Amino acid sequence: MNTKVVAMRISRVLLVLLALAFCAYSVVSQWDETTRAFGEMSWPTLAGSLAAGLAGLFAWMLGWRTFLTGLGSALPLRAAFRISAISQLGKYVPGKVWALVTQIEMAREHKVPAERSFGSTLLAVATSTACGLAVAAVTLPLTSAAARDRYWWLFPLAPVMLAALHPRIVTWCLDTLLKLVRRPTLEHPVSLGVTLVAIAWTVLGWVLFGVHTWLLCMAVGGDGAGLPFLATGAYALAFVAGFLVFIAPGGIGAREAALTVVLTPVLPAGAPVVVAIASRVLLTAADLLSAGAALLLGRGAGPAAAGQAAAGQAAERSGPDEDAAVDGGNEPAPKELVRGTQPTKERP
């Protein structure tokens, strides 16, 4: 086996173990608060909130897969889910590069060029951030005075970031970044249709994360017709705030602080902290469950791999003439000689 492949697999295992250690630390360090938070909520509410979080992660994965397909590398759903779920554990390690590096290396195993993985991941991150700011800008100014007073400076960035998702702008930015790192530019520019589909998946993800937060708010005494909008905007703003804190793994601390500030005026005393802690633990569990499912999927060969193996065995059994006939590209097949016929006599 190639030494580089072995080294990358060992590095991946070590990264997963390190991410699990940080996840365990984040839960254990707040164990008393977590048990009290879960004690105030029913198990059906927690299960529903967890399911909404899992669905939101899956929707975001589909957005990333859409960008990757638009850049020229269409991955099967199973492979895309496995790459995304495992690599996302890297966000729990301090720094923001580990998830990106893991995603690029795992995609390379599926013959995806590094520049396409790099471009699709940056596009997915930019889209989730821009759409998150847009969701917060639409929902919070009308429902949360605390968000208007403390995070007003983030809201004007939403239209700017959304405009920056225009295909011409993102293609120019990605090509410039690739040139700076001395990598080939993109063969396929990002199209408007691909961008709109990816934005739709991303917004759906934000809605699902809003449901996740709303269920937790309802469980601690929140009510009112505007609570679903406030919960969705609060989580979107908290996520973006956590992402901007570069050194915090997974936005730990910054996300909970922003979520608590926005929810404090509309929930009973002490309830916003309970919601923030429960949300953190449930979404960490969602990441771990997704990664576990991805690891289980990777144990056996998928249908595509099995089909390729069968085709390879058939090619080995076939002769060189059959191989040439099968893999003839766009050239017309050569005419076969007719054998076994009786020679004709020439007439004088």
Side-chain angles (χ1 to χ4, degrees):
M1 184 178 291
N2 191 341
T3 305
K4 184 178 179 180
V5 175
V6 175
M8 288 308 305
R9 290 183 178 179
I10 294 175
S11 301
R12 187 186 310 161
V13 172
L14 292 176
L15 180 64
V16 170
L17 292 177
L18 186 60
L20 291 176
F22 276 103
C23 290
Y25 172 77
S26 66
V27 174
V28 172
S29 62
Q30 295 181 323
W31 183 254
D32 294 337
E33 295 85 351
T34 301
T35 53
R36 283 198 298 268
F38 282 6
E40 297 183 20
M41 302 177 183
S42 65
W43 287 108
T45 297
L46 294 173
S49 183
L50 176 62
L54 285 168
L57 293 174
F58 191 80
W60 278 8
M61 180 276 298
L62 292 176
W64 165 73
R65 179 172 177 255
T66 300
F67 277 127
L68 188 60
T69 302
L71 292 177
S73 293
L75 283 180
L77 181 60
R78 177 175 177 173
F81 171 73
R82 184 170 183 270
I83 293 171
S84 177
I86 295 176
S87 65
Q88 285 307 299
L89 291 180
K91 69 186 180 183
Y92 291 99
V93 180
K96 301 293 184 181
V97 299
W98 302 111
L100 173 62
V101 172
T102 306
Q103 203 162 35
I104 290 175
E105 293 301 328
M106 291 186 68
R108 199 192 299 270
E109 297 177 0
H110 295 267
K111 310 301 181 184
V112 178
E115 55 270 14
R116 294 182 187 174
S117 299
F118 176 78
S120 62
T121 303
L122 286 188
L123 285 173
V125 171
T127 302
S128 63
T129 304
C131 291
L133 283 177
V135 168
V138 169
T139 57
L140 291 182
L142 300 178
T143 57
S144 174
R148 286 198 307 268
D149 296 338
R150 188 159 185 174
Y151 296 102
W152 61 268
W153 55 274
L154 281 175
F155 298 146
L157 294 178
V160 176
M161 294 193 67
L162 287 175
L165 293 178
H166 190 278
R168 290 186 179 180
I169 298 176
V170 297
T171 300
W172 179 84
C173 291
L174 289 176
D175 284 343
T176 302
L177 288 174
L178 290 170
K179 288 178 181 178
L180 290 175
V181 296
R182 298 182 179 180
R183 299 291 303 180
T185 57
L186 298 174
E187 307 97 323
H188 304 277
V190 183
S191 68
L192 181 60
V194 166
T195 302
L196 292 177
V197 172
I199 288 176
W201 283 121
T202 305
V203 172
L204 176 61
W206 281 122
V207 172
L208 291 166
F209 287 124
V211 173
H212 153 85
T213 311
W214 171 66
L215 289 174
L216 297 179
C217 291
M218 291 286 290
V220 294
D223 58 6
L227 186 61
F229 302 98
L230 177 63
T232 303
Y235 182 81
L237 181 64
F239 182 92
V240 174
F243 176 76
L244 294 178
V245 180
F246 187 82
I247 61 173
I252 293 176
R255 184 194 300 180
E256 287 76 19
L259 194 60
T260 301
V261 167
V262 178
L263 294 178
T264 294
V266 297
L267 295 182
V273 176
V274 172
V275 171
I277 294 174
S279 175
R280 165 64 65 181
V281 174
L282 288 176
L283 291 180
T284 300
D287 282 325
L288 294 176
L289 288 173
S290 297
L295 290 172
L296 291 176
L297 287 175
R299 288 183 177 181
Q308 291 176 358
Q313 293 174 0
E316 291 176 0
R317 290 194 298 266
S318 64
D321 291 337
E322 294 181 8
D323 289 343
V326 172
D327 191 19
N330 294 325
E331 297 295 330
K335 296 181 179 180
E336 296 182 359
L337 296 177
V338 180
R339 296 184 176 86
T341 58
Q342 297 295 329
T344 56
K345 296 182 180 181
E346 295 183 359
R347 293 182 181 182

